[in-house]
Amino acid sequence: LNFRLKSKQGLTQSKYVIEKRWSPAATLRFGSEYWQSTSQQSYRGLYGCLEDDNFSSFVESEIYLSGALMATIGMRYEYSMLLKKSGLAPRTAVAYKVGKHASVSAAYGIFFQKPEDNLLMYHTSLTAMKATHYILSYQWQKTGKFLRMEAF
């Protein structure tokens, strides 16, 4: 059986993040990211080519409410030229130190993921998948030892 699939991929990425610390207890971050990707495949005279430009930007605030309690609140915007779709993705997390070496945290967020290029090349009606995350975790760390337990 002779199976020759030729595949070629290219990716250009640029990203910037700016951080402003308002005080030891409050930080604001914002940034942007741009991805330009190409994917080409050929097999026995069949040829497929896929090009996409993805843009995203975010803003996030990290606030220490006390010596033991910290919160992060943010929003992310994403747009895919290929899919002609955009999405807003809020994200937040709260962490509380329960001891010298341990903390508990809760997080919520929406995440988008574009289908794999090899699927999009032949099925252009596919859209991004959306996942909503809820995570509770416990973390313990002491010199050379680390334990993390998560429920999601």
Side-chain angles (χ1 to χ4, degrees), residues 14-147:
S14 64
K15 181 178 182 175
Y16 78 87
V17 177
I18 297 174
E19 180 176 293
K20 171 67 175 163
R21 190 173 301 273
W22 297 102
S23 72
T27 302
L28 179 67
R29 282 182 209 90
F30 62 94
S32 186
E33 190 170 20
Y34 172 75
W35 293 56
Q36 195 282 325
S37 62
T38 59
S39 186
Q40 300 171 350
Q41 288 184 351
S42 63
Y43 173 71
R44 292 188 176 185
L46 298 173
Y47 176 77
C49 182
L50 186 69
E51 294 184 10
D52 194 12
D53 293 292
N54 289 285
F55 172 78
S56 64
S57 59
F58 75 92
V59 62
E60 173 182 274
S61 180
E62 189 173 279
I63 304 164
Y64 287 84
L65 303 167
S66 72
L69 183 63
M70 187 270 288
T72 303
I73 300 167
M75 179 69 74
R76 183 177 175 89
Y77 169 80
E78 300 180 3
Y79 180 76
S80 166
M81 296 282 285
L82 176 69
L83 300 177
K84 295 179 178 55
K85 297 282 183 185
S86 62
L88 280 178
R91 298 173 185 172
T92 188
V94 176
Y96 184 73
K97 258 189 119 140
V98 292
K100 184 175 180 180
H101 303 285
S103 65
V104 293
S105 64
Y108 161 82
I110 294 176
F111 296 82
F112 295 100
Q113 182 173 345
K114 187 176 81 168
E116 295 291 324
D117 284 352
N118 60 350
L119 294 174
L120 281 172
M121 196 169 299
Y122 305 103
H123 303 284
T124 57
S125 63
L126 295 175
T127 61
M129 295 174 281
K130 177 183 173 183
T132 303
H133 292 201
Y134 300 92
I135 302 172
L136 294 173
S137 65
Y138 171 82
Q139 187 170 301
W140 178 86
Q141 186 172 357
K142 188 174 181 180
T143 314
K145 297 177 184 174
F146 181 78
L147 170 70

